[in-house]
mmCIF file of all heavy atoms in Angstrom:
data_model
loop_
_atom_site.group_PDB
_atom_site.id
_atom_site.type_symbol
_atom_site.label_atom_id
_atom_site.label_comp_id
_atom_site.label_asym_id
_atom_site.label_seq_id
_atom_site.Cartn_x
_atom_site.Cartn_y
_atom_site.Cartn_z
ATOM 1 N N ILE H 17 85.641 64.727 44.897
ATOM 2 C CA ILE H 17 84.299 64.943 45.462
ATOM 3 C C ILE H 17 84.393 66.036 46.532
ATOM 4 O O ILE H 17 83.563 66.942 46.592
ATOM 5 C CB ILE H 17 83.725 63.645 46.059
ATOM 6 C CG1 ILE H 17 83.544 62.570 44.985
ATOM 7 C CG2 ILE H 17 82.436 63.916 46.826
ATOM 8 C CD1 ILE H 17 82.432 62.796 44.015
ATOM 9 N N GLY H 18 85.420 65.977 47.359
ATOM 10 C CA GLY H 18 85.633 67.012 48.365
ATOM 11 C C GLY H 18 85.865 68.375 47.743
ATOM 12 O O GLY H 18 85.345 69.385 48.222
ATOM 13 N N SER H 19 86.629 68.397 46.680
ATOM 14 C CA SER H 19 86.881 69.664 45.982
ATOM 15 C C SER H 19 85.576 70.261 45.459
ATOM 16 O O SER H 19 85.362 71.477 45.568
ATOM 17 C CB SER H 19 87.852 69.449 44.827
ATOM 18 O OG SER H 19 89.079 69.000 45.303
ATOM 19 N N LEU H 20 84.730 69.430 44.908
ATOM 20 C CA LEU H 20 83.450 69.927 44.405
ATOM 21 C C LEU H 20 82.548 70.407 45.541
ATOM 22 O O LEU H 20 81.893 71.436 45.405
ATOM 23 C CB LEU H 20 82.733 68.843 43.607
ATOM 24 C CG LEU H 20 83.066 68.826 42.127
ATOM 25 C CD1 LEU H 20 82.440 67.624 41.440
ATOM 26 C CD2 LEU H 20 82.612 70.097 41.457
ATOM 27 N N LEU H 21 82.510 69.671 46.636
ATOM 28 C CA LEU H 21 81.707 70.125 47.774
ATOM 29 C C LEU H 21 82.167 71.500 48.238
ATOM 30 O O LEU H 21 81.345 72.377 48.520
ATOM 31 C CB LEU H 21 81.789 69.109 48.922
ATOM 32 C CG LEU H 21 80.995 67.818 48.721
ATOM 33 C CD1 LEU H 21 81.392 66.776 49.751
ATOM 34 C CD2 LEU H 21 79.494 68.100 48.786
ATOM 35 N N ARG H 22 83.472 71.692 48.308
ATOM 36 C CA ARG H 22 83.998 73.011 48.705
ATOM 37 C C ARG H 22 83.627 74.068 47.665
ATOM 38 O O ARG H 22 83.266 75.191 48.019
ATOM 39 C CB ARG H 22 85.504 72.936 48.892
ATOM 40 C CG ARG H 22 85.904 72.172 50.130
ATOM 41 C CD ARG H 22 87.430 72.140 50.332
ATOM 42 N NE ARG H 22 87.784 70.980 51.123
ATOM 43 C CZ ARG H 22 88.116 69.780 50.640
ATOM 44 N NH1 ARG H 22 88.208 69.595 49.339
ATOM 45 N NH2 ARG H 22 88.391 68.781 51.451
ATOM 46 N N HIS H 23 83.705 73.720 46.402
ATOM 47 C CA HIS H 23 83.332 74.642 45.328
ATOM 48 C C HIS H 23 81.859 75.047 45.451
ATOM 49 O O HIS H 23 81.505 76.199 45.162
ATOM 50 C CB HIS H 23 83.602 73.997 43.957
ATOM 51 C CG HIS H 23 83.141 74.814 42.803
ATOM 52 N ND1 HIS H 23 83.830 75.921 42.363
ATOM 53 C CD2 HIS H 23 82.049 74.692 42.006
ATOM 54 C CE1 HIS H 23 83.181 76.453 41.345
ATOM 55 N NE2 HIS H 23 82.105 75.721 41.104
ATOM 56 N N TRP H 24 81.023 74.113 45.884
ATOM 57 C CA TRP H 24 79.595 74.386 46.056
ATOM 58 C C TRP H 24 79.310 75.144 47.343
ATOM 59 O O TRP H 24 78.162 75.419 47.674
ATOM 60 C CB TRP H 24 78.797 73.095 46.039
ATOM 61 C CG TRP H 24 78.826 72.342 44.736
ATOM 62 C CD1 TRP H 24 79.011 72.858 43.489
ATOM 63 C CD2 TRP H 24 78.673 70.932 44.562
ATOM 64 N NE1 TRP H 24 78.980 71.854 42.550
ATOM 65 C CE2 TRP H 24 78.773 70.666 43.176
ATOM 66 C CE3 TRP H 24 78.468 69.870 45.431
ATOM 67 C CZ2 TRP H 24 78.662 69.389 42.643
ATOM 68 C CZ3 TRP H 24 78.353 68.598 44.900
ATOM 69 C CH2 TRP H 24 78.445 68.357 43.534
ATOM 70 N N GLY H 25 80.355 75.481 48.118
ATOM 71 C CA GLY H 25 80.194 76.303 49.317
ATOM 72 C C GLY H 25 80.069 75.536 50.622
ATOM 73 O O GLY H 25 79.703 76.115 51.639
ATOM 74 N N HIS H 26 80.372 74.250 50.606
ATOM 75 C CA HIS H 26 80.273 73.437 51.804
ATOM 76 C C HIS H 26 81.648 73.229 52.428
ATOM 77 O O HIS H 26 82.667 73.407 51.782
ATOM 78 C CB HIS H 26 79.660 72.064 51.474
ATOM 79 C CG HIS H 26 78.328 72.153 50.817
ATOM 80 N ND1 HIS H 26 77.208 72.615 51.470
ATOM 81 C CD2 HIS H 26 77.938 71.859 49.548
ATOM 82 C CE1 HIS H 26 76.181 72.586 50.637
ATOM 83 N NE2 HIS H 26 76.598 72.129 49.468
ATOM 84 N N GLU H 27 81.636 72.824 53.667
ATOM 85 C CA GLU H 27 82.868 72.437 54.354
ATOM 86 C C GLU H 27 83.045 70.934 54.145
ATOM 87 O O GLU H 27 82.103 70.167 54.370
ATOM 88 C CB GLU H 27 82.741 72.753 55.841
ATOM 89 C CG GLU H 27 83.969 72.466 56.640
ATOM 90 C CD GLU H 27 83.776 72.816 58.101
ATOM 91 O OE1 GLU H 27 83.089 73.817 58.404
ATOM 92 O OE2 GLU H 27 84.309 72.063 58.942
ATOM 93 N N ALA H 28 84.214 70.507 53.716
ATOM 94 C CA ALA H 28 84.464 69.078 53.469
ATOM 95 C C ALA H 28 85.805 68.693 54.074
ATOM 96 O O ALA H 28 86.837 69.248 53.710
ATOM 97 C CB ALA H 28 84.448 68.788 51.978
ATOM 98 N N THR H 29 85.775 67.743 54.995
ATOM 99 C CA THR H 29 86.974 67.256 55.661
ATOM 100 C C THR H 29 87.268 65.846 55.173
ATOM 101 O O THR H 29 86.365 65.010 55.131
ATOM 102 C CB THR H 29 86.765 67.233 57.190
ATOM 103 O OG1 THR H 29 86.434 68.547 57.627
ATOM 104 C CG2 THR H 29 88.005 66.736 57.911
ATOM 105 N N ASN H 30 88.508 65.603 54.806
ATOM 106 C CA ASN H 30 88.926 64.261 54.394
ATOM 107 C C ASN H 30 89.397 63.483 55.611
ATOM 108 O O ASN H 30 90.114 64.024 56.457
ATOM 109 C CB ASN H 30 90.061 64.332 53.374
ATOM 110 C CG ASN H 30 89.630 64.957 52.078
ATOM 111 O OD1 ASN H 30 88.605 64.598 51.518
ATOM 112 N ND2 ASN H 30 90.403 65.921 51.600
ATOM 113 N N LEU H 31 89.039 62.219 55.684
ATOM 114 C CA LEU H 31 89.442 61.366 56.793
ATOM 115 C C LEU H 31 90.941 61.447 57.015
ATOM 116 O O LEU H 31 91.393 61.618 58.138
ATOM 117 C CB LEU H 31 89.020 59.912 56.516
ATOM 118 C CG LEU H 31 89.428 58.896 57.578
ATOM 119 C CD1 LEU H 31 88.327 57.881 57.778
ATOM 120 C CD2 LEU H 31 90.705 58.181 57.232
ATOM 121 N N ARG H 32 91.714 61.338 55.951
ATOM 122 C CA ARG H 32 93.184 61.293 56.079
ATOM 123 C C ARG H 32 93.773 62.574 56.674
ATOM 124 O O ARG H 32 94.908 62.574 57.108
ATOM 125 C CB ARG H 32 93.813 60.975 54.737
ATOM 126 C CG ARG H 32 93.649 62.054 53.703
ATOM 127 C CD ARG H 32 94.239 61.640 52.351
ATOM 128 N NE ARG H 32 93.770 62.468 51.280
ATOM 129 C CZ ARG H 32 92.634 62.305 50.620
ATOM 130 N NH1 ARG H 32 91.836 61.313 50.939
ATOM 131 N NH2 ARG H 32 92.273 63.101 49.659
ATOM 132 N N ASP H 33 92.994 63.643 56.728
ATOM 133 C CA ASP H 33 93.493 64.893 57.300
ATOM 134 C C ASP H 33 93.299 64.977 58.819
ATOM 135 O O ASP H 33 93.914 65.827 59.463
ATOM 136 C CB ASP H 33 92.803 66.091 56.638
ATOM 137 C CG ASP H 33 93.179 66.230 55.177
ATOM 138 O OD1 ASP H 33 94.267 65.754 54.773
ATOM 139 O OD2 ASP H 33 92.372 66.815 54.416
ATOM 140 N N VAL H 34 92.436 64.116 59.377
ATOM 141 C CA VAL H 34 92.145 64.226 60.810
ATOM 142 C C VAL H 34 92.249 62.904 61.577
ATOM 143 O O VAL H 34 92.306 62.918 62.801
ATOM 144 C CB VAL H 34 90.749 64.855 61.043
ATOM 145 C CG1 VAL H 34 90.720 66.299 60.574
ATOM 146 C CG2 VAL H 34 89.660 64.042 60.382
ATOM 147 N N LEU H 35 92.236 61.785 60.878
ATOM 148 C CA LEU H 35 92.329 60.470 61.512
ATOM 149 C C LEU H 35 93.334 59.615 60.752
ATOM 150 O O LEU H 35 93.659 59.916 59.603
ATOM 151 C CB LEU H 35 90.966 59.751 61.495
ATOM 152 C CG LEU H 35 89.817 60.374 62.282
ATOM 153 C CD1 LEU H 35 88.513 59.647 61.971
ATOM 154 C CD2 LEU H 35 90.098 60.335 63.768
ATOM 155 N N GLU H 36 93.755 58.556 61.392
ATOM 156 C CA GLU H 36 94.598 57.578 60.698
ATOM 157 C C GLU H 36 93.762 56.926 59.598
ATOM 158 O O GLU H 36 92.581 56.643 59.794
ATOM 159 C CB GLU H 36 95.099 56.505 61.666
ATOM 160 C CG GLU H 36 96.072 57.014 62.701
ATOM 161 C CD GLU H 36 97.401 57.408 62.083
ATOM 162 O OE1 GLU H 36 97.847 56.753 61.120
ATOM 163 O OE2 GLU H 36 97.990 58.395 62.578
ATOM 164 N N ILE H 37 94.370 56.672 58.457
ATOM 165 C CA ILE H 37 93.665 56.055 57.338
ATOM 166 C C ILE H 37 93.116 54.681 57.722
ATOM 167 O O ILE H 37 92.130 54.213 57.171
ATOM 168 C CB ILE H 37 94.563 55.994 56.084
ATOM 169 C CG1 ILE H 37 93.743 55.681 54.830
ATOM 170 C CG2 ILE H 37 95.662 54.987 56.238
ATOM 171 C CD1 ILE H 37 92.974 56.822 54.303
ATOM 172 N N THR H 38 93.734 54.049 58.716
ATOM 173 C CA THR H 38 93.301 52.725 59.169
ATOM 174 C C THR H 38 92.315 52.794 60.336
ATOM 175 O O THR H 38 92.015 51.765 60.941
ATOM 176 C CB THR H 38 94.527 51.890 59.596
ATOM 177 O OG1 THR H 38 95.229 52.608 60.621
ATOM 178 C CG2 THR H 38 95.451 51.627 58.416
ATOM 179 N N ALA H 39 91.818 53.982 60.640
ATOM 180 C CA ALA H 39 90.870 54.135 61.752
ATOM 181 C C ALA H 39 89.658 53.231 61.521
ATOM 182 O O ALA H 39 89.117 53.174 60.406
ATOM 183 C CB ALA H 39 90.415 55.584 61.872
ATOM 184 N N PRO H 40 89.226 52.518 62.542
ATOM 185 C CA PRO H 40 88.053 51.653 62.377
ATOM 186 C C PRO H 40 86.793 52.489 62.131
ATOM 187 O O PRO H 40 86.721 53.666 62.525
ATOM 188 C CB PRO H 40 87.965 50.893 63.694
ATOM 189 C CG PRO H 40 88.759 51.685 64.667
ATOM 190 C CD PRO H 40 89.779 52.449 63.893
ATOM 191 N N ASP H 41 85.819 51.877 61.497
ATOM 192 C CA ASP H 41 84.580 52.584 61.166
ATOM 193 C C ASP H 41 83.906 53.171 62.404
ATOM 194 O O ASP H 41 83.307 54.245 62.334
ATOM 195 C CB ASP H 41 83.615 51.653 60.438
ATOM 196 C CG ASP H 41 84.120 51.255 59.056
ATOM 197 O OD1 ASP H 41 84.997 51.958 58.510
ATOM 198 O OD2 ASP H 41 83.629 50.246 58.526
#
Side-chain angles (χ1 to χ4, degrees):
I17 297 288
S19 298
L20 270 173
L21 286 167
R22 288 182 205 92
H23 175 76
W24 295 333
H26 304 292
E27 183 179 324
T29 302
N30 295 312
L31 178 141
R32 67 183 163 276
D33 293 335
V34 294
L35 296 171
E36 292 291 325
I37 194 77
T38 57
D41 293 340

